[in-house]
Amino acid sequence: LRDTQARAATQLATIFLTLHALTHIWDGLAGRESLDHLVGDIPGVFVLPALALWLTWTQPRSGQA
């Protein structure tokens, strides 16, 4: 049960980070953010969700080797 809860929490956090990054991309496409701002967002806003996606969905599920 503990592993299931931890996995669910990790997935929810990853979804939030991804949606947050997509919001930044949307703002850039809509002209509300400059290209310089988006480039500055790369380490904190775009790399973190990409890493979280990779870590979350490449880990074996409970009961799998």
Side-chain angles (χ1 to χ4, degrees):
L1 179 62
R2 187 173 180 198
D3 289 340
T4 303
Q5 291 173 338
R7 185 167 184 81
T10 303
Q11 288 173 340
L12 286 173
T14 300
I15 290 168
F16 170 79
L17 289 170
T18 303
L19 291 173
H20 179 245
L22 290 173
T23 301
H24 280 255
I25 291 170
W26 183 263
D27 284 344
L29 292 172
R32 291 186 292 265
E33 293 291 342
S34 68
L35 182 60
D36 291 339
H37 186 85
L38 288 174
V39 170
D41 284 344
I42 288 173
V45 178
F46 300 119
V47 172
L48 287 177
L51 180 62
L53 282 166
W54 178 71
L55 289 173
T56 301
W57 273 275
T58 59
Q59 298 301 312
R61 295 183 188 273
S62 297
Q64 293 180 344

